[in-house]
């Protein structure tokens, strides 16, 4: 229930606000809209080119929160309504971006435009109109770890100083320009620098979020079901798709890269704290991830196979994974982050936030959702004879 008498971390009453949420129809946006509508009195101006993932919040119009969410179908690349909507709001949250690795090396121009050029007017309108901005960046701005450049057998690789990623200390280490994978990270880094500079020179009140692999229901799409057959989503959806179709999970370059995964519902708690505690969140860059949920991609595949077998009741394949080269899977210009463990000092100190959900538990609830949502549709598609 949306409570009116909400207090912030310092015991002050939180006034209801209007939030302009750009990219509200995406994975993170859909969870953030739910959280705000279910638990707070705030209003949302939801901007996106799609609304499939928030349809349940928009229809029917008799829902108790219907007067607190307004959907505006628009593309921020070219829509004169953007400035007016930002002006009508107390806070703008920008989530809009091309953010699937399969696009970074194959559509580098779209990637750079989306993550830098298209975000520029949002920063400018916030700055000029004295509006607060929460901008979504990425953990990819750290790029590769310092440790990855050490010899394989160096004992220093075990020293956290060489791999833990700290907002105010770690360098941003990208590969050469011909590795177009880094077009995304580089564009995100430049918009972070621009926002930071707007804060320093023009007093923009900002918060930058660096998500570390947030996963959960509604992430991306299942190819051929609610997205293009040839599309390559992020790893959770790729592996879910293979499990649903009873095909081996593809491990890019042997699945040796490491990631930490955080449950979307834990991560959204952190965003709500930022929204409602401006004095503690403004001027900061926050890592938001779960340092305790680290696995290699191979281990993720093994765990997902086991969890899916449990939630679906179907035995796992005899050979559940297959190796594939990054060139074959993503094409020319792919490169990878080796390891991503967030330092949590700043977010813990400023907002007292820490993630709660283990990788096993978050996979169990997410794969239960995937099975319930897609298993029947996949069976139907697979039963259809293919035209030759
Ligand atoms: N999910 C993660 O783990 C993760 C990790 C790092 C960074 N991020 C960042 O968080 C943000 C949201 O990510 P997500 O996972 O929800 O992705 P998503 O693709 O599900 O959501 C992005 C939304 O933005 C919309 N959008 C894109 N361009 C637009 C435009 N020009 N005009 C209007 N709407 C537009 C898309 O339609 C989509 O609904 C992105 O900026 C992404 O870079 C996410
Ligand atoms: O089928 C697959 C898909 C992916 N992978 C691997 O799994 C790892 C994770 O891949 P994801 O697609 O989830 O994306 P990444 O973690 O590399 O980047 C993501 O992280 C931060 C965000 O900014 C973006 O959402 C995205 O860039 C990579 O090493 C990738 O090569 C596979 O081995 N098999």
């Amino acid at each position: 229930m949306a409570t009116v008498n909400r207090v912030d971390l310092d015991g002050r009453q939180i006034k209801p606000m209007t939030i302009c949420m750009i990219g509200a129809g995406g994975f993170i946006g859909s969870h953030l809209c739910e959280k705000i509508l279910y638990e707070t009195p705030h209003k949302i101006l939801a901007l996106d080119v799609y609304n499939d993932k928030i349809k349940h919040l928009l229809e029917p119009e008799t829902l108790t929160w219907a007067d607190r969410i307004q959907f505006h179908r628009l593309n921020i690349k070219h829509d004169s309504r953007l400035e007016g909507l930002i002006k009508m709001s107390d806070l703008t949250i920008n989530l809009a971006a091309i953010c699937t690795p399969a696009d970074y090396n194959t559509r580098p121009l779209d990637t750079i435009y989306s993550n830098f050029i298209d975000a520029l007017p949002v920063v400018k309108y916030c700055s000029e109109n004295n509006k607060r901005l929460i901008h979504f960046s990425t953990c990819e701005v750290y790029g590769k770890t310092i440790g990855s450049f050490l010899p394989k057998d160096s004992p220093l690789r075990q020293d956290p100083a060489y791999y833990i990623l700290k907002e105010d200390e770690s360098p941003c280490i990208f590969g050469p320009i011909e590795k177009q994978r880094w077009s995304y990270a580089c564009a995100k880094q430049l918009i972070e620098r621009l926002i930071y500079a707007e804060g320093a020179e023009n007093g923009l009140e900002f918060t930058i979020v660096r998500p570390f692999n947030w996963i959960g229901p509604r992430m991306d799409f299942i190819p051929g079901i609610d997205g293009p057959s040839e599309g390559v989503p992020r790893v959770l959806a790729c592996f879910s798709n293979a499990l649903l179709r009873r095909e081996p999970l593809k491990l890019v370059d042997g699945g040796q890269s490491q990631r930490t995964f955080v449950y979307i519902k834990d991560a959204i708690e952190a965003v709500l704290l930022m929204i409602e505690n401006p004095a503690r969140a403004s001027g900061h860059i926050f890592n938001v991830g779960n340092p305790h949920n680290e696995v290699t991609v191979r281990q993720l595949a093994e765990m997902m196979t086991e969890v899916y077998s449990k939630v679906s009741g179907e035995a796992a394949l005899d050979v559940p994974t297959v190796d594939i080269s990054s060139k074959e899977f993503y094409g020319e210009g792919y490169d990878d982050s080796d390891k991503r463990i967030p330092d949590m000092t700043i977010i813990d100190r400023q907002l007292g936030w820490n993630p709660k959900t283990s990788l096993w538990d978050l996979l169990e609830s997410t794969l239960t959702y995937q099975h319930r949502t897609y298993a029947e549709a996949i069976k139907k598609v697979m039963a259809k004879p293919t035209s030759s």
Side-chain angles (χ1 to χ4, degrees), residues 20 22 45 47 74 76 78-89 92 121-122 124-131:
C20 174
I22 307 169
L45 305 179
L47 281 52
L74 61 83
I76 59 164
H78 41 65
D79 200 301
S80 56
R81 289 173 291 173
L82 181 62
E83 184 171 11
L85 291 164
I86 289 176
K87 275 187 179 171
M88 281 165 65
S89 309
T92 294
V122 178
K124 180 170 159 260
Y125 297 147
C126 287
S127 190
E128 287 172 359
N129 295 291
N130 295 319
K131 299 291 182 181

Side-chain angles (χ1 to χ4, degrees), residues 26-28 48 74-76 95-97 99 137 184 188 214 234:
F27 162 58
I28 296 177
D48 207 306
L74 61 83
N75 187 332
I76 59 164
L95 295 148
C99 53
S137 181
Y184 169 76
K188 285 282 203 199
W214 300 9
R234 285 169 284 189

